[in-house]
Amino acid sequence: MAKKKTLAPPKGAKKGKNFPLSKDPFFSSESRKRRKIVDDEIESGESDEDNGFVSAEDVEFEEETADEKRKRVASEYLEKIREIARREKEREDKEKDEDESNDEGEKDSLVAQILQQEQLEDSGRVRREIASRVQNPVASDEFQLLVKHRQSVTAVALSEDDLKGFSSSKDGTILHWDVDSGKWEKYQWPSDEALRLHGAKDPQGRATRHSKVTLSLAVSSDGRYLASGGLDRHVHIWDTRTREHIQAFPGHRGPVSCLTFRQGTSELFSGSHDRTVKIWNVEDRAYINTLFGHQSEVLTIDCLRKERLLTVGRDRSMQLWKVPEESRLVFRAPASSLECCCFISNDEFLSGSSDGSIEQWTALKKKPVYIVRNAHPSSLSCSNLELKENGAIPNGCMGNGDANHNTSHSSSAYSWVSSVSVCRNSDLAASGAGNGCVRLWTLTSDKKDVRPLYDLPLVGFVNSLTFAKSGKFVVAGVGQEPRLGRWGRIPAAWNGVAVHPLKLS
């Protein structure tokens, strides 16, 4: 006779004892999600006292799904915009008496206008008019030293909310600082063994050991990742929440001179002295592609929300890369080599040259549409500059017509435009050099020209510039030496990060 098959008790049931069907999860009427939560609580066996304090907010949103969280965040943001619209409406219609229905309809239309305007500005379709609102700086409005470094600052980056900043210097130090208070924390480099575990490879060529000299920084839009690159030919990824090293990307055969994240994504682009541009995905810790085209070192790189790259190299060219189309546009410098570049919009760019000029470009023309000659004249003796006792930096900038040839430097390195920056999706730009000031510029969209706005005095080589997204301040990375060399020195300059407030009307 064939043996009767008996059903085995569920896993975890003791042998020799009857197992009630009510405890079998197959016959349970509860949902899988609810069952999983109950089982986890039973298996953990921990009480509220063991877990510590549990806030009311954690209990309220404990079972919230991802869609529900997105809906809640969107509703909170919409309520915030409605509150702003209500205040605007109250200011405009203090003396008007309208019925409640019309008033609510106008509030909703105002909310829609605010959201539409923000979307257009974030996408770059509408340029914000900030330059006309910047007030003339007074004597008390000066660059204030926020963070000090031992050697020249090579890169400065700001988080998306303008609250946190990052800076690096030639001594390999990477600092994470607060914009309001100036309190800083240092990133600790891991050991050689930890670097190898994170993906770093042994140095090749002339390099005999890993160098910590950092030349470039970039922070992701969500503020989670910080990327750094330098003389060790690796792209290093850091977690900004814990300030720990999490990944090292090898592959470049020369120093990594520039980095940028694509806005709103974890896609990272790196430029190197090996004449290539590499694409990485930081979230997946993956290499994507390599772009070839430059005939010399890549110096600067920039990217907006679209998959378009703007790079400048020592081959006297600026190139616009259209990554999905696998094509590029090459723009040749009219005179000397280009040193830096940045996007104004998706089809307009700004660049600085080693001859002291600033060029405005458009994607429709291979030549600049406007050139500012002698934008940073080397008209002062940088060795005679002195710092004030209170830490403020005095006005050492002179106009184009006030050049004193008896005190000016014979070398033109002090007038090289070493950095340019544009306040995102606006008409306000800034440029820096070693002549003693940071210059603000107005970018006019109708006439396609660059007009001088104000001079902000700052002693030293301005190696990096960045604006707050709101346009309320500008941050400069300054040092006694240029970022990529030692062909000039200003002993009176600070090595650090300086911040200048901008008052908007």
Side-chain angles (χ1 to χ4, degrees), residues 275 277 291-295 308-311 315 317-332 363 366:
R275 303 176 294 179
V277 175
L291 306 178
F292 299 91
H294 277 287
Q295 303 301 315
R308 288 189 176 185
L309 285 177
L310 189 67
T311 58
D315 53 2
S317 73
M318 179 172 63
Q319 301 191 16
L320 177 65
W321 308 77
K322 299 180 180 179
V323 179
E325 295 89 344
E326 296 183 354
S327 63
R328 60 190 174 98
L329 298 176
V330 181
F331 305 88
R332 299 292 178 185
K366 290 299 184 70

Side-chain angles (χ1 to χ4, degrees), residues 382-385 387 414 459 480 489-494:
C382 298
S383 60
N384 294 331
L385 295 175
L387 299 174
Y414 297 92
V459 180
Q480 297 179 355
R489 182 172 176 80
I490 305 176
W494 288 108

